[in-house]
């Protein structure tokens, strides 16, 4: 395997749904610096439409977004044959156990709260894309 070929195999296509400028910039930069392609959108309806056009290797969703909340996007993903297997990381400011339970019940594979650790974000994203962490169905 050539160096270029191994880089392509390691790179993932990630869609980031985040309406906060600072969180979006920090998260997308960390993931891109780790070698991943990141599409960052700020509206839940736009996120879902983008994923329908081209399913990503990972979706990172914020619970609170304009247009459509992250949990509603997640529920729609789990209903669709073309998106039901895409791993989902919820990255949110909602820190209560009940918020996490709601997201996991809707189909979230992992749940990180803000403020987040960049190393943990990248490691969790890569683990999800490599199938190392998945929700219990």
């Amino acid at each position: 395997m050539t160096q270029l070929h191994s880089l392509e195999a390691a790179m993932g296509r990630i869609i980031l749904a985040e309406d906060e400028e600072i969180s979006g910039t920090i998260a997308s930069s960390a993931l891109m610096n780790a070698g991943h392609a990141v599409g960052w959108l700020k509206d839940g309806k736009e996120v879902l439409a983008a994923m329908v056009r081209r399913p990503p290797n990972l979706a990172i969703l914020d619970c609170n977004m304009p247009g459509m909340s992250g949990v509603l996007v997640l529920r729609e993903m789990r209903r669709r044959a073309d998106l039901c297997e895409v791993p989902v990381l919820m990255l949110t400011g909602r820190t209560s156990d009940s918020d996490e339970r709601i997201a996991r019940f809707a189909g979230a594979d992992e749940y990180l709260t803000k403020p987040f650790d960049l190393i943990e974000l990248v490691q969790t994203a890569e683990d999800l894309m490599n199938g190392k962490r998945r929700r219990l169905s």
Side-chain angles (χ1 to χ4, degrees):
M1 182 181 289
T2 66
Q3 181 75 15
L4 179 61
H5 194 37
S6 64
L7 277 175
E8 289 172 0
M11 187 177 91
R13 285 181 297 102
I14 301 170
I15 190 150
L16 172 64
E18 176 59 66
D19 63 327
E20 293 176 7
E21 196 72 30
I22 293 172
S23 294
T25 300
I26 292 170
S28 62
S29 294
L31 294 162
M32 287 188 289
N33 288 340
H36 305 290
V38 180
W40 172 23
L41 296 167
K42 298 178 181 182
D43 179 275
K45 288 182 182 179
E46 292 175 7
V47 166
L48 187 58
M51 287 192 289
V52 167
R53 284 190 302 275
R54 185 171 184 205
N57 300 112
L58 174 67
I60 301 177
L61 307 175
D62 186 5
C63 286
N64 299 325
M65 289 185 301
M68 188 177 199
S69 76
V71 172
L72 291 178
V73 170
L74 174 56
R75 286 180 183 154
E76 185 59 28
M77 288 175 67
R78 296 303 181 227
R79 287 187 196 114
R80 298 182 57 95
D82 55 341
L83 297 176
C84 68
E85 294 298 318
V86 173
V88 174
L89 166 61
M90 298 302 289
L91 183 63
T92 182
R94 293 186 181 181
T95 59
S96 76
D97 289 341
S98 62
D99 286 320
E100 183 173 351
R101 277 195 305 275
I102 289 167
R104 288 191 182 271
F105 183 76
D109 295 288
E110 285 293 339
Y111 193 93
L112 294 179
T113 58
K114 298 174 190 171
F116 52 90
D117 178 82
L118 296 179
I119 294 170
E120 182 181 16
L121 172 66
V122 171
Q123 186 63 60
T124 301
E126 290 177 350
D127 285 352
L128 286 168
M129 288 187 286
N130 292 323
K132 294 180 182 173
R133 300 183 193 194
R134 293 308 302 256
R135 69 188 177 282
L136 299 174
S137 299

